Amino acid sequence: RVLFRSANAGRFPYHVHLGTNEHFLSTSWNTARTVQGLLSAYQALGTPAYLEAAERGLAYVNTLQVFTPEFPHARGAFIEETPLGDHVAARDGMECAQALLAHHVRTGNRVSLQRAEAFLDWLVKEYHSPCWPNGYFYLTDARNPGKMTGNARFIYSAGALPLVQGAALLGKRRYVTHGAAPMLDEMLAQHQRADGAFEYESAKADHHVPIQGDPTVYNEDGV
């Protein structure tokens, strides 16, 4: 009960230093991924505390979803870090949508399904907008002025997961035909080598391509 008096209610630890117990709190995607794990554990074991923890985490994720009238172009998207932030990342929102869909499947909660639908509608719209490929933007900027650098848009084909799941649950076939299918086609055509590996040219080493000069992707970010 006390936890819900805090704006951090439901946030899980992101990194914990075991020697000192120093930690910092999770962002949208790792909160949502933890919710998915807890819901799977609840399905397998039936432990009520797992569902309670999942729903606390999901309550935090819900505070990050954009429904304010000031930002109609971002309706349904998720802010990445905190409710007062303005950094939107499509890849992280995909994890939030999967957590919401999983919660609906486990519990029948219709609001979770409606929230997931709002994100998936936004994702398909954004994918076909002139502003894609920039899987992140700031709400307070004038309509996505900062294009994403590099070719790391391949990670956004991970959106096929919630889009296909959403299509099955909501009967929206366009999530497949206008979302998942073109995302995956683009990823395979532009980023998969003959040997099966993914690659993209990066201006510098990063968490996808850690070796300078080697375009092989070692962290495919869920693709």
Side-chain angles (χ1 to χ4, degrees):
R1 286 192 292 270
V2 173
L3 281 177
F4 278 92
R5 296 174 185 167
S6 165
N8 288 322
R11 291 180 79 181
F12 301 109
Y14 189 173
H15 287 175
V16 178
H17 183 256
L18 297 180
T20 63
N21 203 35
E22 292 290 325
H23 67 277
F24 63 89
L25 297 176
S26 57
T27 60
S28 62
W29 82 263
N30 33 61
T31 302
R33 181 67 70 86
T34 305
V35 167
Q36 293 174 58
L38 285 165
L39 288 170
S40 294
Y42 175 67
Q43 179 185 8
L45 300 170
T47 306
Y50 296 162
L51 177 60
E52 180 184 357
E55 291 186 330
R56 283 177 178 265
L58 199 61
Y60 180 75
V61 169
N62 287 346
T63 69
L64 302 173
Q65 195 166 20
V66 179
F67 287 116
T68 53
E70 295 93 332
F71 309 112
H73 65 278
R75 184 185 187 279
F78 288 90
I79 296 168
E80 186 173 13
E81 291 94 2
T82 69
L84 291 178
D86 68 346
H87 178 221
V88 173
R91 176 66 187 90
D92 295 359
M94 294 168 190
E95 296 292 340
C96 299
Q98 283 198 274
L100 288 162
L101 291 170
H103 183 244
H104 167 71
V105 169
R106 291 281 72 77
T107 67
N109 187 296
R110 294 290 300 177
V111 173
S112 289
L113 183 62
Q114 290 167 345
R115 284 181 172 273
E117 183 178 17
F119 172 81
L120 296 175
D121 286 344
W122 171 82
L123 181 63
V124 172
K125 173 180 68 73
E126 193 72 7
Y127 180 73
H128 290 282
S129 78
C131 292
W132 197 271
N134 54 299
Y136 65 89
F137 59 88
Y138 292 87
L139 291 174
T140 51
D141 285 352
R143 191 61 181 108
N144 303 4
K147 293 286 187 179
M148 193 170 79
T149 58
N151 298 312
R153 65 182 288 178
F154 74 90
I155 67 174
Y156 300 110
S157 60
L161 287 166
L163 284 167
V164 169
Q165 292 164 350
L169 291 166
L170 292 159
K172 287 193 171 184
R173 182 66 183 169
R174 62 185 296 270
Y175 286 170
V176 177
T177 58
H178 289 71
M183 285 178 181
L184 293 173
D185 286 344
E186 177 184 337
M187 184 268 291
L188 293 172
Q190 297 187 18
H191 297 288
Q192 189 169 42
R193 297 194 309 234
D195 66 358
F198 298 133
E199 68 178 16
Y200 86 98
E201 295 293 337
S202 179
K204 61 183 185 304
D206 59 31
H207 71 289
H208 294 114
V209 181
I211 302 173
Q212 185 68 42
D214 178 0
T216 305
V217 172
Y218 290 97
N219 170 19
E220 84 310 329
D221 220 321
V223 174

